[in-house]
Amino acid sequence: MDNKSLLKLAENARKNSYVPYSKFRVGAALLTKNGKVYTGCNIECASFGGTNCAERTAIYKAISEGEKEIEAIAIASDNSEKDESTYPCGICRQVIIEFGPDIRIITGYTQGKIIECKISDLIPNYFSGSDFKEIE
Ligand SMILES: [Zn+2]
């Protein structure tokens, strides 16, 4: 699946967002290495700590269905229509890189500019499971 098609799925997923507080809709579309797609949207909660981003919604759906290898995640927000890219927040960057530093991040707008980078570009010197080995 090409970047534009994956981003289009993220734009569509954005429509399911539950955002009564911020009114800021975000959609994500996750592509596994075996070609399956899982979408997600942001879901807000009056107890703000319970809020979940679109990217993590898509990841948790994929992992809970048995997926382990993520190829790419496309992200679209309400800013996308203004041709402004939306990148993952800090928590999502940490969760995404848990599944590999080479996961491609695609953002932008299908009717405008589409940007691609690697998650490792967005979170250098990240904390990982290998840090636990230093404790022994
Ligand atoms: Zn996030």
Side-chain angles (χ1 to χ4, degrees), residues 59-88:
I59 289 170
Y60 297 155
K61 284 172 68 177
I63 299 303
S64 67
E65 293 298 318
E67 302 292 346
K68 293 289 184 284
E69 297 188 321
I70 300 170
E71 172 65 31
I73 300 176
I75 303 154
S77 77
D78 287 336
N79 287 345
S80 300
E81 293 179 7
K82 294 180 273 182
D83 214 9
E84 296 173 7
S85 304
T86 298
Y87 289 90

Short mmCIF file of all heavy atoms in Angstrom, two decimals, residues 59-88:
data_model
loop_
_atom_site.label_atom_id
_atom_site.label_comp_id
_atom_site.label_asym_id
_atom_site.label_seq_id
_atom_site.Cartn_x
_atom_site.Cartn_y
_atom_site.Cartn_z
N ILE A 59 -2.26 1.00 17.30
CA ILE A 59 -1.24 0.03 17.74
C ILE A 59 -1.86 -1.01 18.66
O ILE A 59 -1.65 -2.22 18.49
CB ILE A 59 -0.07 0.74 18.45
CG1 ILE A 59 0.75 1.53 17.42
CG2 ILE A 59 0.83 -0.26 19.18
CD1 ILE A 59 1.78 2.46 18.04
N TYR A 60 -2.65 -0.57 19.63
CA TYR A 60 -3.22 -1.52 20.58
C TYR A 60 -4.20 -2.46 19.88
O TYR A 60 -4.28 -3.65 20.23
CB TYR A 60 -3.90 -0.78 21.73
CG TYR A 60 -2.94 0.06 22.56
CD1 TYR A 60 -3.41 1.17 23.27
CD2 TYR A 60 -1.57 -0.21 22.62
CE1 TYR A 60 -2.54 1.95 24.03
CE2 TYR A 60 -0.70 0.57 23.38
CZ TYR A 60 -1.19 1.65 24.08
OH TYR A 60 -0.34 2.42 24.82
N LYS A 61 -4.92 -1.95 18.89
CA LYS A 61 -5.80 -2.84 18.12
C LYS A 61 -4.97 -3.90 17.41
O LYS A 61 -5.29 -5.09 17.45
CB LYS A 61 -6.60 -2.03 17.09
CG LYS A 61 -7.75 -1.25 17.70
CD LYS A 61 -8.40 -0.31 16.68
CE LYS A 61 -9.13 -1.02 15.57
NZ LYS A 61 -9.79 -0.04 14.65
N ALA A 62 -3.89 -3.49 16.75
CA ALA A 62 -3.06 -4.42 15.98
C ALA A 62 -2.40 -5.46 16.88
O ALA A 62 -2.47 -6.66 16.61
CB ALA A 62 -2.00 -3.65 15.18
N ILE A 63 -1.79 -5.00 17.95
CA ILE A 63 -1.07 -5.92 18.84
C ILE A 63 -2.05 -6.89 19.50
O ILE A 63 -1.79 -8.08 19.62
CB ILE A 63 -0.26 -5.14 19.90
CG1 ILE A 63 0.79 -4.23 19.22
CG2 ILE A 63 0.40 -6.11 20.89
CD1 ILE A 63 1.78 -4.92 18.32
N SER A 64 -3.21 -6.37 19.89
CA SER A 64 -4.19 -7.25 20.55
C SER A 64 -4.78 -8.28 19.59
O SER A 64 -5.35 -9.27 20.02
CB SER A 64 -5.30 -6.42 21.20
OG SER A 64 -6.08 -5.77 20.21
N GLU A 65 -4.62 -8.05 18.30
CA GLU A 65 -5.08 -9.02 17.31
C GLU A 65 -3.95 -9.96 16.88
O GLU A 65 -4.10 -10.72 15.93
CB GLU A 65 -5.65 -8.30 16.08
CG GLU A 65 -6.94 -7.52 16.37
CD GLU A 65 -8.09 -8.40 16.83
OE1 GLU A 65 -8.27 -9.49 16.27
OE2 GLU A 65 -8.80 -8.00 17.78
N GLY A 66 -2.81 -9.87 17.55
CA GLY A 66 -1.72 -10.81 17.28
C GLY A 66 -0.61 -10.29 16.40
O GLY A 66 0.35 -11.01 16.12
N GLU A 67 -0.72 -9.05 15.94
CA GLU A 67 0.33 -8.49 15.08
C GLU A 67 1.56 -8.14 15.92
O GLU A 67 1.43 -7.75 17.08
CB GLU A 67 -0.18 -7.23 14.37
CG GLU A 67 -1.41 -7.44 13.52
CD GLU A 67 -1.16 -8.31 12.30
OE1 GLU A 67 0.01 -8.56 11.95
OE2 GLU A 67 -2.15 -8.76 11.70
N LYS A 68 2.73 -8.27 15.33
CA LYS A 68 3.96 -7.92 16.03
C LYS A 68 4.86 -7.01 15.20
O LYS A 68 5.73 -6.34 15.75
CB LYS A 68 4.75 -9.20 16.39
CG LYS A 68 4.04 -10.08 17.42
CD LYS A 68 4.04 -9.46 18.80
CE LYS A 68 3.42 -10.37 19.85
NZ LYS A 68 1.95 -10.42 19.78
N GLU A 69 4.68 -7.03 13.89
CA GLU A 69 5.59 -6.29 13.02
C GLU A 69 4.86 -5.16 12.30
O GLU A 69 3.99 -5.39 11.47
CB GLU A 69 6.25 -7.24 12.03
CG GLU A 69 7.11 -8.28 12.73
CD GLU A 69 7.92 -9.10 11.75
OE1 GLU A 69 7.38 -9.45 10.67
OE2 GLU A 69 9.09 -9.38 12.06
N ILE A 70 5.26 -3.95 12.64
CA ILE A 70 4.63 -2.75 12.06
C ILE A 70 5.55 -2.17 11.00
O ILE A 70 6.73 -1.95 11.23
CB ILE A 70 4.35 -1.71 13.17
CG1 ILE A 70 3.41 -2.31 14.23
CG2 ILE A 70 3.77 -0.43 12.57
CD1 ILE A 70 3.26 -1.45 15.48
N GLU A 71 4.97 -1.89 9.85
CA GLU A 71 5.73 -1.30 8.74
C GLU A 71 5.64 0.22 8.76
O GLU A 71 6.64 0.90 8.62
CB GLU A 71 5.17 -1.83 7.41
CG GLU A 71 5.71 -1.17 6.15
CD GLU A 71 7.18 -1.41 5.94
OE1 GLU A 71 7.68 -2.48 6.33
OE2 GLU A 71 7.85 -0.52 5.38
N ALA A 72 4.43 0.73 8.95
CA ALA A 72 4.24 2.19 8.85
C ALA A 72 2.99 2.61 9.60
O ALA A 72 2.07 1.80 9.79
CB ALA A 72 4.13 2.60 7.38
N ILE A 73 2.97 3.88 10.01
CA ILE A 73 1.77 4.47 10.60
C ILE A 73 1.55 5.83 9.96
O ILE A 73 2.46 6.67 9.96
CB ILE A 73 1.90 4.64 12.13
CG1 ILE A 73 2.13 3.27 12.80
CG2 ILE A 73 0.66 5.31 12.71
CD1 ILE A 73 2.37 3.34 14.29
N ALA A 74 0.37 6.02 9.40
CA ALA A 74 0.01 7.31 8.82
C ALA A 74 -0.87 8.07 9.80
O ALA A 74 -1.70 7.45 10.49
CB ALA A 74 -0.73 7.12 7.49
N ILE A 75 -0.68 9.37 9.86
CA ILE A 75 -1.40 10.21 10.83
C ILE A 75 -2.03 11.39 10.11
O ILE A 75 -1.35 12.10 9.35
CB ILE A 75 -0.42 10.74 11.90
CG1 ILE A 75 0.26 9.56 12.61
CG2 ILE A 75 -1.14 11.62 12.91
CD1 ILE A 75 1.61 9.91 13.19
N ALA A 76 -3.31 11.62 10.38
CA ALA A 76 -4.01 12.77 9.80
C ALA A 76 -4.80 13.46 10.91
O ALA A 76 -5.42 12.79 11.73
CB ALA A 76 -4.95 12.34 8.69
N SER A 77 -4.76 14.76 10.92
CA SER A 77 -5.52 15.52 11.93
C SER A 77 -6.34 16.60 11.24
O SER A 77 -6.27 16.76 10.02
CB SER A 77 -4.58 16.17 12.94
OG SER A 77 -3.97 17.32 12.37
N ASP A 78 -7.07 17.35 12.04
CA ASP A 78 -7.81 18.48 11.47
C ASP A 78 -6.87 19.49 10.83
O ASP A 78 -7.27 20.23 9.94
CB ASP A 78 -8.67 19.14 12.55
CG ASP A 78 -9.88 18.27 12.91
OD1 ASP A 78 -10.29 17.44 12.07
OD2 ASP A 78 -10.40 18.43 14.02
N ASN A 79 -5.62 19.53 11.29
CA ASN A 79 -4.65 20.45 10.68
C ASN A 79 -4.25 20.01 9.28
O ASN A 79 -3.77 20.82 8.49
CB ASN A 79 -3.39 20.54 11.54
CG ASN A 79 -3.62 21.34 12.80
OD1 ASN A 79 -4.61 22.04 12.92
ND2 ASN A 79 -2.70 21.22 13.75
N SER A 80 -4.44 18.72 8.99
CA SER A 80 -4.02 18.21 7.69
C SER A 80 -4.69 18.96 6.54
O SER A 80 -4.07 19.22 5.51
CB SER A 80 -4.34 16.72 7.58
OG SER A 80 -3.67 16.00 8.59
N GLU A 81 -5.96 19.31 6.74
CA GLU A 81 -6.69 19.99 5.67
C GLU A 81 -6.14 21.38 5.40
O GLU A 81 -6.41 21.97 4.37
CB GLU A 81 -8.18 20.04 6.00
CG GLU A 81 -8.80 18.64 5.98
CD GLU A 81 -10.27 18.64 6.33
OE1 GLU A 81 -10.85 19.74 6.46
OE2 GLU A 81 -10.83 17.55 6.48
N LYS A 82 -5.36 21.90 6.38
CA LYS A 82 -4.69 23.19 6.18
C LYS A 82 -3.26 22.96 5.69
O LYS A 82 -2.44 23.87 5.72
CB LYS A 82 -4.68 23.98 7.50
CG LYS A 82 -6.08 24.40 7.94
CD LYS A 82 -6.04 25.18 9.25
CE LYS A 82 -6.10 24.22 10.41
NZ LYS A 82 -6.13 24.84 11.73
N ASP A 83 -2.99 21.70 5.29
CA ASP A 83 -1.67 21.29 4.80
C ASP A 83 -0.60 21.46 5.88
O ASP A 83 0.54 21.80 5.58
CB ASP A 83 -1.29 22.06 3.53
CG ASP A 83 -0.46 21.17 2.59
OD1 ASP A 83 -0.35 19.96 2.85
OD2 ASP A 83 0.07 21.71 1.61
N GLU A 84 -1.00 21.26 7.13
CA GLU A 84 -0.06 21.29 8.24
C GLU A 84 0.08 19.86 8.77
O GLU A 84 -0.91 19.23 9.11
CB GLU A 84 -0.56 22.22 9.36
CG GLU A 84 -0.66 23.67 8.92
CD GLU A 84 -1.31 24.55 9.99
OE1 GLU A 84 -1.57 24.05 11.10
OE2 GLU A 84 -1.57 25.71 9.67
N SER A 85 1.29 19.39 8.87
CA SER A 85 1.53 18.02 9.32
C SER A 85 1.32 17.90 10.82
O SER A 85 1.58 18.83 11.57
CB SER A 85 2.97 17.61 9.01
OG SER A 85 3.21 17.77 7.64
N THR A 86 0.85 16.74 11.24
CA THR A 86 0.74 16.42 12.66
C THR A 86 1.60 15.20 12.92
O THR A 86 1.46 14.17 12.25
CB THR A 86 -0.72 16.12 13.04
OG1 THR A 86 -1.50 17.30 12.81
CG2 THR A 86 -0.84 15.73 14.50
N TYR A 87 2.50 15.35 13.87
CA TYR A 87 3.40 14.25 14.24
C TYR A 87 2.92 13.62 15.55
O TYR A 87 2.18 14.24 16.30
CB TYR A 87 4.83 14.79 14.41
CG TYR A 87 5.48 15.17 13.11
CD1 TYR A 87 5.36 16.47 12.60
CD2 TYR A 87 6.21 14.24 12.38
CE1 TYR A 87 5.96 16.82 11.40
CE2 TYR A 87 6.82 14.60 11.18
CZ TYR A 87 6.68 15.88 10.70
OH TYR A 87 7.27 16.22 9.51
N PRO A 88 3.38 12.41 15.83
CA PRO A 88 2.97 11.75 17.09
C PRO A 88 3.46 12.53 18.31
O PRO A 88 4.54 13.11 18.29
CB PRO A 88 3.66 10.38 17.03
CG PRO A 88 4.08 10.20 15.61
CD PRO A 88 4.25 11.55 15.02
#
